[in-house]
Amino acid sequence: MSTNFLEESGPGLFEKILRFSIQNRYLVLLLVIGVGLIGAFSLQRLAIDAVPDITNNQVQINTEAPALSPVEIEKQVTYVVETALAGIPGLESTRSISRNGFSQVTAVFTDSTDVYFARQQVAERLGEAKESLPIGAEPRMGAVSTGLGEIYMYVVEYANPDGVGATVTDGSPGWQSNGTYLTPEGEVLSTDIEKEAYLRTVQDWVIKPQLRKIKGVAGVDSIGGWEKQFHVQPNPMRLASYGFTLIDLIDALEQNNVSTGAGFIEQSGEAYIVRTDARVRTLEEIREIVIGEYEGTPVPLSDVADVIIGKELRTGAASQAGTESVVGTVLMLIGENSRTVSNAVDAKMPDIRRSLPAGIEANTVLNRTTLVNSTIKTVEKNLVEGALLVIVILFLMLGNVRAAIITAMAIPL
């Protein structure tokens, strides 16, 4: 009985569809073209990537405490942060890493939890936990990105290391005839540390702020070079001879590195803003800070300490072709289209290069767009070859080129 039903209703319905399609061939053709256009429009906005992002929903909390050992980091920082996060809605688990002077706690949430809601809850808990953390330990959340968010990398380096082969114009920013480098700010860089620290300064203060403005960029990481520091190295014998202590030295540095507003003075209908700008900017300004007086004579900092350009301790470095350099990594925001964001970053790089000081370059070493486009080309090649193979087989079986092509059109549609 069921067989008779299929024999009666099945072919009849199929014949009706065929008859309708043949009688309304132009309507069917328009519908097919419409579906194709909608598909092409959607394809242009599809978040295509070479590798699927299977990272779970997580928030990273990084805390630096340089004075603590790994054991102390675990007890005083990592444990406190993990305990503070317990009980957050949607929290599945936490894992952590405790290293010398550094703690990283990763909070894993359910896939249905909104990442921004999770970060808000984490921020509130961290605010409550600060009272239990060591002095100076400031927990910070990582960028709103994933392990596959590194979409663009570039190297900041000197176009002519040590000035070899560079066009030299003494007195103008760039390489000088004596092998030093003159910055646009008028600072002369002579040592390798000073030159490498300036590359890091360019990355952090020139390139990075411009890239962070691009839509879809969650952050920009930096590695390599040296973070520039002003080092004050006190001479205990000189301090003692003048009757000063290290506390006096620290107080003098803190009190002479501030900017204070004092309101305004109104005169003849005009207001004159009064302020005290005591921010130190150069080595000479630090050396001229008065620590106190001795027998009625002011004692500058240079009489009791050496002031030099120094570097921060680091645990990693970056190089390009065997030369010390700085590497910047652009991180993509969760849920963004990697090809679109990396294209936007790459389009911004020419403008950034024009803003760099003379003799410094930012060269691209990794662009996710290249990988994605290569993957798409491979898929296109396989689809075209598959379609041609289907057409050939259909032609051999049907003996009609038109029927084979019409049948093969179902592949791209």
Side-chain angles (χ1 to χ4, degrees), residues 59-70 72-82 84-85 95-106 122 125-127 129-130 132-142:
V59 178
Q60 284 189 342
I61 302 96
N62 302 318
T63 309
E64 292 185 4
L68 302 182
S69 66
E72 294 170 328
I73 284 288
E74 177 66 27
K75 292 181 178 180
Q76 301 182 34
V77 179
T78 304
Y79 176 76
V80 174
V81 173
E82 286 186 323
L85 298 181
R95 60 176 185 269
S96 62
I97 299 174
S98 297
R99 296 177 179 172
N100 185 34
F102 178 76
S103 166
Q104 183 180 83
V105 177
T106 303
V122 170
R125 296 296 183 93
L126 291 179
K130 284 183 180 179
S132 304
L133 294 174
I135 298 176
E138 186 71 23
R140 300 176 183 273
M141 286 187 290

Side-chain angles (χ1 to χ4, degrees), residues 122-280:
V122 170
E124 292 178 2
R125 296 296 183 93
L126 291 179
E128 299 173 359
K130 284 183 180 179
E131 298 179 356
S132 304
L133 294 174
I135 298 176
E138 186 71 23
R140 300 176 183 273
M141 286 187 290
V144 191
S145 186
T146 66
L148 293 177
E150 300 179 354
I151 60 170
Y152 200 93
M153 297 179 68
Y154 56 90
V155 175
V156 184
E157 57 188 346
Y158 291 103
N160 303 91
D162 298 324
V164 179
T167 302
V168 176
T169 304
D170 288 338
S172 299
W175 292 105
Q176 308 297 298
S177 57
N178 59 0
T180 61
Y181 183 89
L182 180 63
T183 69
E185 297 79 21
E187 185 179 0
V188 178
L189 311 178
S190 55
T191 66
D192 291 339
I193 292 178
E194 290 176 346
K195 296 172 185 176
E196 293 163 10
Y198 188 66
L199 288 178
R200 183 60 177 266
T201 300
V202 171
Q203 157 65 9
D204 291 340
W205 296 96
V206 179
I207 301 177
K208 189 174 180 178
Q210 298 184 64
L211 291 177
R212 288 180 64 91
K213 297 178 182 178
I214 299 175
K215 183 180 181 299
V217 173
V220 181
D221 283 348
S222 305
I223 187 173
W226 300 94
E227 290 193 28
K228 181 180 177 180
Q229 293 182 338
F230 293 101
H231 285 187
V232 178
Q233 301 173 342
N235 188 316
M237 297 298 293
R238 293 182 186 176
L239 280 172
S241 65
Y242 285 108
F244 299 130
T245 64
L246 288 175
I247 300 299
D248 296 327
L249 178 63
I250 295 173
D251 289 342
L253 287 171
E254 291 180 349
Q255 295 174 8
N256 288 272
N257 187 31
V258 294
S259 293
T260 304
F264 63 93
I265 297 175
E266 186 175 353
Q267 184 176 359
S268 301
E270 296 182 351
Y272 296 90
I273 298 176
V274 180
R275 67 186 182 92
T276 301
D277 185 10
R279 289 284 182 182
V280 292

Side-chain angles (χ1 to χ4, degrees), residues 319-374:
S319 63
Q320 170 78 350
T323 304
E324 181 95 14
S325 58
V326 175
V327 175
T329 304
V330 180
L331 304 178
M332 181 186 68
L333 198 65
I334 291 179
E336 291 289 337
N337 189 329
S338 64
R339 185 170 58 163
T340 302
V341 178
S342 54
N343 270 332
V345 173
D346 194 56
K348 182 66 177 178
M349 289 304 292
D351 295 334
I352 293 177
R353 294 187 180 101
R354 285 191 289 269
S355 66
L356 297 179
I360 295 181
E361 296 179 336
N363 299 315
T364 303
V365 295
L366 172 66
N367 187 346
R368 177 75 70 84
T369 304
T370 304
L371 176 62
V372 175
N373 289 341
S374 298

